[in-house]
Amino acid sequence: MKKNILNRPFPNLIFIFKNLSSRKEVDQDLFFFQTGREAFIYGLEKMGIRKGSKILLPAFICDSLAAFIISEGYKIRYVDINMDMSIDLYEIESIFQLENISAFLFVYFFGISFDIKPFLKLCNKYNVPLIEDCSHSFQTKILNNNIGTFGDFTIYSFRKILPTSDGGAIRFKKEINKSYKNKISFSLKNDLIYLIARLVEIFIRNVLNINIYSKKITNLKNKIRNLIPVNKIERQKLIKSKNKISFLLNIFLTNKNYLSENIKIRNDNFNFLLKEVKAMGLKPFITKIKKSTCPQFFIIKDDHGGLVDRLNSGGIGAIQWPGDELPKEIYEHPILYPNSIKLNKMLVYIPIHQNLNKESFKEMLILLSKWKLKIES
Ligand SMILES: Cc1ncc(COP(=O)(O)O)c(C=O)c1O
């Protein structure tokens, strides 16, 4: 079997060792957490938004965030998105007029450069804090500014783009008193165990020649996951930012060359797949991106159904999003949230991260052209 296309970047060991001594300090404006969801709750609390307040969220969202917000005592008001993943400004305005909304979460889905300015104006008019969600990608620029520089605060989940295990973070627009300096420290969980887990993944893929995305392995992974006792998030916990970040996060987040390569490779891979997929007659979801966009995935429309399974069985770490993690409140109300439900079923996300290049996609493109022939017959 051929090598799988991993769905997340791999922490290159040579790169890590080479850069161990040239590490830079992380941005002291950032407050760090293990996850982006913790950063979000911390931000609400620091803004003085009380538990029980209603937060406006796009309905196209994953339950790991939504359930956490609810478990922390906040209420969620969902709004459906448009079929291009944008949000209807007029609908937001009418919600602001009719309901008591304490904050609005603006998500840059998959790094797409949506125009936040009209929402910024609207939120100012109604005095609703605007939160930018750069969890899917943090390097996209709008009008020469990095996303994440407009709202009252911004949340990040660097682990979705960088090969690290921690990486929740928040940046406030106004200065917030911080009584400590962010420090880098070796973390057993986020450095050692993470690296071992990733090496095991590569061993299974390269040495044992096993497709880690096959149904069998996915079921096995789920079974193992279910055996691990989860911290049921029933009780509200005090969310504190951590002053220590892992070595790995520090290395990748502060290396300018790595980051500029990252945006270039993702952009090139996206444009390469765009050309190939169009030529095949398949339907890309986004048909153009700017050089200043750092996409998380390449997205294909699958009206037929079954493409993710087909790609997974061919060793490609493609996903659906949020997939099974679409909140119950959304999938139980198709009249209220038709677009989020449709997009959840229809879109297939293909990895284009920094470890991949044109060569990596060769076999996948053959698989896609066979798929196209099959659905036409
Ligand atoms: C849009 C969006 N925001 C925030 C989060 C939360 O990030 P984390 O998983 O780091 O808590 C997610 C996570 O899945 C997400 O998809």
Side-chain angles (χ1 to χ4, degrees):
M1 212 200 65
K2 311 293 180 314
K3 278 186 186 170
N4 307 158
I5 289 189
L6 295 184
N7 63 12
R8 50 194 179 149
F10 185 75
N12 183 323
L13 298 181
I14 298 170
F15 178 87
I16 293 168
F17 285 117
K18 269 193 184 159
N19 287 283
L20 266 181
S21 57
S22 58
R23 287 175 295 113
K24 308 240 164 32
E25 249 194 23
V26 285
D27 188 342
Q28 292 297 336
D29 286 348
L30 289 171
F31 293 66
F32 284 93
F33 301 82
Q34 184 68 25
T35 60
R37 64 200 88 161
E38 289 167 277
F40 183 63
I41 298 298
Y42 183 83
L44 294 179
E45 286 170 358
K46 280 279 171 198
M47 296 284 296
I49 299 169
R50 293 217 184 106
K51 309 263 172 179
S53 307
K54 219 194 268 181
I55 315 298
L56 184 59
L57 245 65
F60 193 52
I61 204 78
C62 61
D63 208 34
S64 55
L65 176 64
F68 191 73
I69 295 173
I70 293 166
S71 76
E72 287 297 319
Y74 291 94
K75 294 196 179 101
I76 298 180
R77 160 66 153 100
Y78 291 106
V79 59
D80 201 15
I81 58 171
N82 297 323
M83 281 305 277
D84 62 357
M85 290 188 192
S86 64
I87 298 249
D88 187 336
L89 189 70
Y90 299 104
E91 195 171 350
I92 301 294
E93 176 148 32
S94 79
I95 295 172
F96 284 173
Q97 283 166 346
L98 296 171
E99 299 176 40
N100 190 9
I101 299 294
S102 298
F104 169 46
L105 184 73
F106 184 92
V107 181
Y108 296 96
F109 291 105
F110 314 106
I112 305 171
S113 53
F114 296 108
D115 187 8
I116 193 170
K117 293 274 168 63
F119 293 92
L120 202 57
K121 231 167 135 185
L122 190 72
C123 285
N124 280 339
K125 180 175 166 191
Y126 288 90
N127 208 13
V128 175
L130 177 67
I131 299 145
E132 279 177 273
D133 188 335
C134 299
S135 298
H136 289 179
S137 176
F138 59 96
Q139 291 179 270
T140 292
K141 283 191 167 65
I142 309 175
L143 304 169
N144 272 336
N145 286 310
N146 269 338
I147 52 170
T149 47
F150 304 96
D152 290 273
F153 69 82
T154 299
I155 57 163
Y156 301 92
S157 179
F158 296 120
R159 64 204 177 109
K160 298 198 195 336
I161 291 283
L162 304 175
T164 66
S165 145
D166 55 342
I170 188 167
R171 186 197 306 280
F172 294 93
K173 195 173 199 170
K174 285 194 193 132
E175 202 171 306
I176 299 268
N177 193 18
K178 191 160 159 218
S179 54
Y180 61 86
K181 260 186 104 170
N182 295 329
K183 282 195 211 121
I184 304 117
S185 90
F186 178 77
S187 155
L188 190 67
K189 178 176 167 227
N190 294 322
D191 289 313
L192 188 64
I193 297 181
Y194 174 73
L195 270 180
I196 292 173
R198 298 303 310 273
L199 287 169
V200 169
E201 187 183 26
I202 292 294
F203 179 79
I204 295 174
R205 177 185 89 150
N206 290 6
V207 181
L208 302 183
N209 247 350
I210 290 176
N211 175 8
I212 54 176
Y213 300 112
S214 68
K215 274 247 148 62
K216 242 187 188 169
I217 296 288
T218 306
N219 289 341
L220 185 69
K221 273 196 253 174
N222 290 340
K223 265 188 195 153
I224 295 171
R225 228 172 259 147
N226 289 339
L227 288 178
I228 302 167
V230 277
N231 243 341
K232 282 245 174 224
I233 38 177
E234 285 151 358
R235 262 181 312 123
Q236 294 173 22
K237 60 175 185 181
L238 182 67
I239 308 252
K240 285 209 294 201
S241 94
K242 53 178 194 149
N243 57 356
K244 289 177 183 160
I245 70 163
S246 67
F247 262 107
L248 288 176
L249 181 58
N250 175 240
I251 285 171
F252 292 108
L253 190 58
T254 60
N255 191 304
K256 279 203 173 127
N257 289 341
Y258 181 86
L259 293 179
S260 60
E261 271 288 288
N262 180 45
I263 183 166
K264 186 177 177 314
I265 293 172
R266 285 173 182 269
N267 204 284
D268 286 353
N269 284 341
F270 186 100
N271 284 317
F272 171 70
L273 288 183
L274 183 62
K275 205 172 105 221
E276 297 289 327
V277 159
K278 262 189 186 166
M280 253 178 229
L282 287 169
K283 294 184 200 158
F285 176 64
I286 299 160
T287 49
K288 203 173 175 193
I289 55 164
K290 293 186 180 136
K291 268 217 154 76
S292 53
T293 295
C294 185
Q296 190 187 14
F297 292 107
F298 179 75
I299 313 173
I300 298 188
K301 290 185 198 168
D302 173 24
D303 300 320
H304 182 269
L307 180 57
V308 165
D309 286 348
R310 181 65 200 93
L311 288 169
N312 287 167
S313 64
I316 292 135
I319 58 161
Q320 275 180 297
W321 191 88
D324 295 342
E325 276 219 45
L326 189 73
K328 190 163 170 248
E329 164 77 16
I330 309 302
Y331 66 73
E332 283 188 344
H333 296 96
I335 307 246
L336 294 178
Y337 312 111
N339 296 342
S340 299
I341 294 172
K342 261 187 235 153
L343 291 173
N344 188 40
K345 274 200 196 125
M346 181 181 75
L347 299 182
V348 175
Y349 301 82
I350 294 173
I352 48 169
H353 56 72
Q354 50 274 45
N355 299 149
L356 304 171
N357 56 30
K358 283 183 190 172
E359 197 59 26
S360 329
F361 298 117
K362 247 183 170 172
E363 286 171 36
M364 185 190 80
L365 290 170
I366 296 171
L367 195 156
L368 281 177
S369 60
K370 284 187 186 158
W371 166 262
K372 174 80 170 77
L373 286 175
K374 190 185 145 208
I375 58 174
E376 277 173 348
S377 61

Coordinates of all heavy atoms in Angstrom, one line a residue, residues 1-7 10 199-213 315 356:
M1 N 0.8 -1.2 0.0 CA 0.0 0.0 0.0 C 0.9 1.3 0.0 O 1.9 1.3 0.5 CB -0.9 0.0 1.2 CG -2.2 0.7 1.0 SD -3.0 1.2 2.5 CE -1.8 2.4 3.1
K2 N 0.4 2.3 -0.6 CA 1.1 3.6 -0.7 C 1.0 4.3 0.6 O 0.1 4.1 1.4 CB 0.6 4.4 -1.9 CG 0.5 3.6 -3.2 CD 1.9 3.2 -3.7 CE 1.9 2.4 -5.0 NZ 0.9 1.4 -5.1
K3 N 1.9 5.3 0.7 CA 1.8 6.2 1.9 C 0.5 6.9 2.0 O 0.0 7.4 1.0 CB 3.0 7.1 1.9 CG 4.3 6.6 2.4 CD 5.3 7.6 2.5 CE 6.6 7.0 2.8 NZ 7.7 7.9 2.7
N4 N 0.0 7.0 3.2 CA -1.2 7.8 3.5 C -0.9 9.3 3.4 O 0.2 9.7 3.7 CB -1.8 7.5 4.8 CG -2.0 6.1 5.2 OD1 -2.1 5.7 6.3 ND2 -2.1 5.2 4.2
I5 N -1.9 10.0 3.0 CA -1.8 11.5 3.1 C -2.3 11.8 4.5 O -3.5 11.7 4.8 CB -2.6 12.2 2.1 CG1 -2.0 12.0 0.7 CG2 -2.8 13.7 2.4 CD1 -2.5 12.9 -0.4
L6 N -1.4 12.2 5.5 CA -1.8 12.5 6.8 C -2.8 13.7 6.9 O -2.5 14.6 6.1 CB -0.6 12.7 7.7 CG 0.3 11.6 8.0 CD1 1.4 12.0 8.9 CD2 -0.4 10.4 8.5
N7 N -3.7 13.7 7.8 CA -4.6 14.8 7.8 C -4.1 16.0 8.7 O -4.7 17.0 8.8 CB -6.0 14.5 8.2 CG -6.1 13.9 9.6 OD1 -5.1 14.0 10.4 ND2 -7.2 13.3 10.0
F10 N 3.3 16.9 10.2 CA 4.1 16.1 11.1 C 5.2 17.0 11.6 O 5.8 17.8 10.9 CB 4.7 14.9 10.3 CG 5.5 14.0 11.2 CD1 4.8 13.1 12.0 CD2 6.9 14.0 11.2 CE1 5.6 12.3 12.9 CE2 7.6 13.2 12.0 CZ 7.0 12.3 12.8
L199 N 5.2 9.6 16.2 CA 6.1 8.7 15.6 C 5.5 7.3 15.5 O 5.7 6.6 14.5 CB 7.4 8.6 16.5 CG 8.3 9.8 16.4 CD1 9.4 9.7 17.5 CD2 9.0 9.9 15.1
V200 N 4.6 6.9 16.4 CA 3.9 5.7 16.3 C 3.0 5.7 15.1 O 2.9 4.7 14.3 CB 3.1 5.4 17.6 CG1 2.1 4.2 17.4 CG2 4.0 5.2 18.8
E201 N 2.4 6.8 14.8 CA 1.5 7.0 13.7 C 2.3 6.7 12.4 O 1.8 6.0 11.5 CB 0.9 8.4 13.7 CG -0.1 8.8 12.7 CD -0.5 10.2 12.7 OE1 0.2 11.1 13.2 OE2 -1.7 10.5 12.3
I202 N 3.5 7.3 12.3 CA 4.3 7.2 11.1 C 4.8 5.7 11.0 O 4.9 5.2 9.9 CB 5.5 8.2 11.2 CG1 5.0 9.6 11.1 CG2 6.6 7.9 10.2 CD1 4.4 9.9 9.7
F203 N 5.1 5.1 12.1 CA 5.6 3.7 12.1 C 4.5 2.8 11.5 O 4.7 2.0 10.7 CB 6.0 3.3 13.5 CG 6.4 1.9 13.6 CD1 7.7 1.5 13.3 CD2 5.5 0.9 14.1 CE1 8.1 0.2 13.4 CE2 6.0 -0.5 14.2 CZ 7.2 -0.8 13.8
I204 N 3.3 3.0 12.0 CA 2.2 2.2 11.5 C 1.9 2.4 10.0 O 1.7 1.5 9.3 CB 0.9 2.6 12.3 CG1 1.0 2.2 13.8 CG2 -0.4 1.9 11.7 CD1 -0.1 2.6 14.7
R205 N 2.1 3.7 9.6 CA 1.9 4.0 8.2 C 3.0 3.5 7.3 O 2.8 2.8 6.3 CB 1.7 5.5 8.1 CG 1.6 5.9 6.6 CD 1.5 7.4 6.5 NE 2.9 8.0 6.3 CZ 3.1 9.1 5.7 NH1 2.2 9.8 5.1 NH2 4.4 9.5 5.6
N206 N 4.3 3.8 7.7 CA 5.4 3.6 6.8 C 6.0 2.2 6.9 O 6.4 1.6 6.0 CB 6.5 4.6 7.0 CG 6.1 6.0 6.6 OD1 5.0 6.2 6.2 ND2 7.1 6.9 6.6
V207 N 6.1 1.7 8.2 CA 6.7 0.4 8.4 C 5.7 -0.8 8.3 O 5.9 -1.7 7.6 CB 7.5 0.4 9.7 CG1 8.2 -1.0 9.9 CG2 8.5 1.5 9.7
L208 N 4.6 -0.6 9.0 CA 3.6 -1.7 9.0 C 2.7 -1.6 7.8 O 1.9 -2.5 7.5 CB 2.8 -1.7 10.3 CG 3.5 -1.8 11.6 CD1 2.5 -1.8 12.8 CD2 4.4 -3.0 11.6
N209 N 2.8 -0.5 7.0 CA 2.0 -0.3 5.8 C 0.5 -0.4 6.0 O -0.2 -1.1 5.2 CB 2.5 -1.4 4.8 CG 3.1 -0.7 3.6 OD1 3.1 0.5 3.5 ND2 3.7 -1.6 2.8
I210 N 0.1 0.2 7.1 CA -1.3 0.1 7.4 C -2.0 1.4 7.1 O -1.5 2.5 7.4 CB -1.5 -0.3 8.9 CG1 -1.1 -1.7 9.1 CG2 -3.0 -0.1 9.4 CD1 -1.1 -2.1 10.6
N211 N -3.2 1.3 6.5 CA -4.0 2.5 6.2 C -4.6 3.0 7.5 O -5.6 2.5 7.9 CB -5.0 2.2 5.1 CG -5.9 3.4 4.9 OD1 -5.7 4.5 5.4 ND2 -7.0 3.2 4.1
I212 N -4.1 4.1 8.0 CA -4.6 4.6 9.3 C -6.0 5.3 9.2 O -6.6 5.6 10.2 CB -3.6 5.5 10.0 CG1 -3.2 6.7 9.1 CG2 -2.4 4.8 10.5 CD1 -2.3 7.7 9.8
Y213 N -6.5 5.4 8.0 CA -7.8 6.0 7.8 C -8.9 5.0 7.4 O -10.0 5.3 7.0 CB -7.7 7.2 6.8 CG -6.8 8.2 7.3 CD1 -5.6 8.5 6.6 CD2 -7.0 9.0 8.4 CE1 -4.7 9.4 7.1 CE2 -6.2 9.9 8.9 CZ -5.0 10.1 8.2 OH -4.1 11.1 8.7
G315 N -6.4 5.8 1.8 CA -5.2 6.2 2.6 C -5.2 7.7 2.7 O -4.1 8.3 3.1
L356 N 2.9 18.5 2.5 CA 2.4 17.9 1.2 C 2.9 18.8 0.0 O 3.0 20.0 0.2 CB 0.9 17.8 1.2 CG 0.3 17.0 2.4 CD1 -1.2 17.1 2.4 CD2 0.8 15.5 2.2

